[in-house]
Amino acid sequence: MNYALIMCGGSGSRFWPKSRKAYPKQFLKPLGPDTMLQSTFSRIRNLIPIENIYVVTNKNYVDIIREQLPELGEDNLIVEPMQKETATCIGHSAVRLMKKDSEAVMVVLPSDHHIENENAFITTLQQGMLIAENSKHLITIGVKPTRPETAYGYIQIGKKMDEEWPIDTYKVRRFTEKPNKEKAAEFIEDGRYLWNSGMFIWKVSSLLKQYKKHLPEIYESLKAIRDGLGTDNESSILEEEYEKIEGISIDYGIMEKSKDVYVIECNFGWDDIGNWTAMERYMERDEWGNQTKGRFLQIDSRDCIVCGEKRLIAAIGVNDLIIVDTDDVLLICRRERDQDIKELMSKLGENVELKDYI
């Protein structure tokens, strides 16, 4: 059987102050009538039966998810006792599926991505599921880069798969984490690099063998969690094993180490809308180059991204700014410094009096 896992525990810190720790980006509606989580769920239910769609999150978001996804089954919400990075949440979910279905094929999706061509998206996942079902390969989805983006990881492609698949699929040569502008430009010029979308497909049994090989300590904890499922001690075992685990991402822990990873080069529009400058791709410009949501009045102000709520935002003689106004926070930032919002969040966390603004 085929299953989907939607990861819904991230904080969306680069989208602050709209995205907050208590109500992060995946629960917001930056582009339409549905939240990003609702859009993700709606897309994948066109391919996977609702009863086979799971959401993994932490206890802080359970009520929000239940409110936004009332169709989600009671047992289809996997709750982590604490955040320990993606290798842990995916591994935990994998052993639950493995206990239910030893032949399970899992599609892993972040909850906060924007997809433009949903038919092409479904076709790509179908191909990935077929490859995973009939092999031990770990499959990731790569996106042809359109600009020297520094906020994404990159995948260098190797040899093309011998099989005649409708969508080009390649052996992965290596993963590269977020590069600087110069290196990203080199990758685009090279032509052998794709953006790492963070979407994965694999047979659960194949994935867990990779944990045993590359993350043996986490694998032992996953075995203990599996053995505790359905027992009176399930919650205490889960908490105890999570305490032991050193958090690591699935990219660092498995994908970069495995020799059996393939990437499908997708042909659907994709964006993780990870920061405020990403919004400019979806907002109309006025004659001054400003892109706005909410009420905005300006004199001699150009090329600003402005997002307000209740109050009028007025500007005189400013250029290239991001201005975001919420009930309790006003953010003013140079457009080229939007990646530093994450650093600002760290400073908030260090200040006891300001922690409520995270």
Side-chain angles (χ1 to χ4, degrees):
M1 292 285 287
N2 297 317
Y3 300 83
L5 178 71
I6 300 173
M7 297 184 292
C8 194
S11 61
S13 58
R14 287 176 295 153
F15 214 63
W16 184 87
K18 282 284 191 181
S19 177
R20 303 293 184 92
K21 188 174 182 181
Y23 209 88
K25 182 181 69 169
Q26 59 266 30
F27 303 126
L28 302 179
K29 303 176 181 180
L31 297 180
D34 293 330
T35 68
M36 303 196 84
L37 170 62
Q38 289 170 331
S39 294
T40 302
F41 187 82
S42 177
R43 277 193 297 272
I44 195 60
R45 67 186 291 181
N46 292 322
L47 178 63
I48 305 288
I50 289 180
E51 61 270 21
N52 287 357
I53 301 174
Y54 291 78
V55 176
V56 59
T57 189
N58 62 68
K59 55 189 175 184
N60 297 325
Y61 303 145
V62 168
D63 290 342
I64 303 173
I65 293 170
R66 289 291 181 207
E67 179 184 348
Q68 293 198 359
L69 300 180
E71 315 98 313
L72 188 70
E74 187 70 30
D75 295 332
N76 289 52
L77 187 59
I78 300 170
V79 182
E80 297 186 285
M82 61 196 75
Q83 288 182 307
K84 286 294 180 81
E85 296 278 2
T86 52
T88 309
C89 80
I90 291 172
H92 171 194
S93 305
V95 294
R96 286 182 178 272
L97 282 186
M98 187 72 171
K99 195 154 189 174
K100 177 181 178 180
D101 181 355
S102 62
E103 295 297 314
V105 172
M106 175 197 281
V107 176
V108 180
L109 304 171
S111 58
D112 57 355
H113 287 182
H114 173 64
I115 304 294
E116 292 183 359
N117 186 333
E118 295 193 7
N119 289 333
F121 170 76
I122 294 299
T123 301
T124 302
L125 295 189
Q126 285 174 326
Q127 177 170 307
M129 290 189 300
L130 282 172
I131 295 171
E133 183 181 351
N134 294 291
S135 70
K136 297 179 181 179
H137 303 330
L138 308 183
I139 310 299
T140 186
I141 308 298
V143 180
K144 191 76 171 176
T146 57
R147 59 189 182 277
E149 179 63 65
T150 60
Y152 302 156
Y154 286 72
I155 300 170
Q156 184 182 19
I157 62 174
K159 184 181 177 182
K160 192 173 179 180
M161 282 190 82
D162 293 334
E163 292 87 347
E164 290 295 324
W165 292 104
I167 308 170
D168 290 343
T169 303
Y170 303 90
K171 178 90 170 174
V172 170
R173 290 193 65 183
R174 64 168 176 156
F175 290 84
T176 301
E177 277 305 298
K178 301 168 185 175
N180 59 33
K181 199 84 169 179
E182 293 74 21
K183 183 59 71 173
E186 287 179 23
F187 289 166
I188 290 179
E189 175 108 16
D190 183 284
R192 293 176 297 162
Y193 287 83
L194 304 173
W195 285 334
N196 183 0
S197 74
M199 294 183 277
F200 310 106
I201 307 168
W202 39 53
K203 191 180 286 185
V204 170
S205 57
S206 300
L207 175 67
L208 291 174
K209 287 177 182 176
Q210 296 293 323
Y211 274 81
K212 185 176 183 180
K213 181 176 181 180
H214 300 296
L215 295 174
E217 292 180 358
I218 293 181
Y219 180 74
E220 291 302 315
S221 288
L222 294 178
K223 284 202 302 180
I225 290 170
R226 178 201 63 198
D227 294 342
L229 294 176
T231 70
D232 293 339
N233 298 321
E234 179 176 334
S235 295
S236 60
I237 292 172
L238 188 62
E239 187 111 17
E240 181 181 328
E241 294 304 325
Y242 261 72
E243 288 282 1
K244 295 179 187 177
I245 291 172
E246 289 286 336
I248 189 171
S249 74
I250 193 77
D251 296 275
Y252 283 131
I254 299 293
M255 305 302 282
E256 292 186 11
K257 296 175 182 177
S258 175
K259 304 298 183 186
D260 202 16
V261 180
Y262 286 79
V263 58
I264 301 176
E265 183 179 337
C266 77
N267 54 12
F268 52 82
W270 170 89
D271 201 326
D272 80 343
I273 315 182
N275 51 41
W276 283 106
T277 53
M279 286 296 292
E280 69 181 346
R281 297 190 282 277
Y282 305 97
M283 298 168 69
E284 292 186 6
R285 295 179 185 271
D286 65 18
E287 59 184 315
W288 298 84
N290 299 305
Q291 297 170 281
T292 63
K293 283 191 174 183
R295 292 180 296 169
F296 178 59
L297 181 67
Q298 62 85 19
I299 297 174
D300 295 332
S301 297
R302 299 176 180 275
D303 301 317
C304 294
I305 297 174
V306 180
C307 186
E309 291 186 353
K310 299 174 184 176
R311 293 182 292 191
L312 168 70
I313 297 175
I316 300 174
V318 298
N319 302 323
D320 299 306
L321 294 182
I322 297 170
I323 304 172
V324 183
D325 186 35
T326 67
D327 285 342
D328 59 345
V329 174
L330 172 65
L331 170 70
I332 303 172
C333 170
R334 299 292 301 179
R335 287 173 70 128
E336 70 269 17
R337 297 290 300 275
D338 71 327
Q339 294 296 321
D340 293 336
I341 291 176
K342 202 163 187 176
E343 182 181 343
L344 185 68
M345 297 288 288
S346 297
K347 288 185 176 294
L348 285 175
E350 294 166 3
N351 190 319
V352 175
E353 295 182 358
L354 299 178
K355 281 188 175 181
D356 289 344
Y357 293 99
I358 297 176

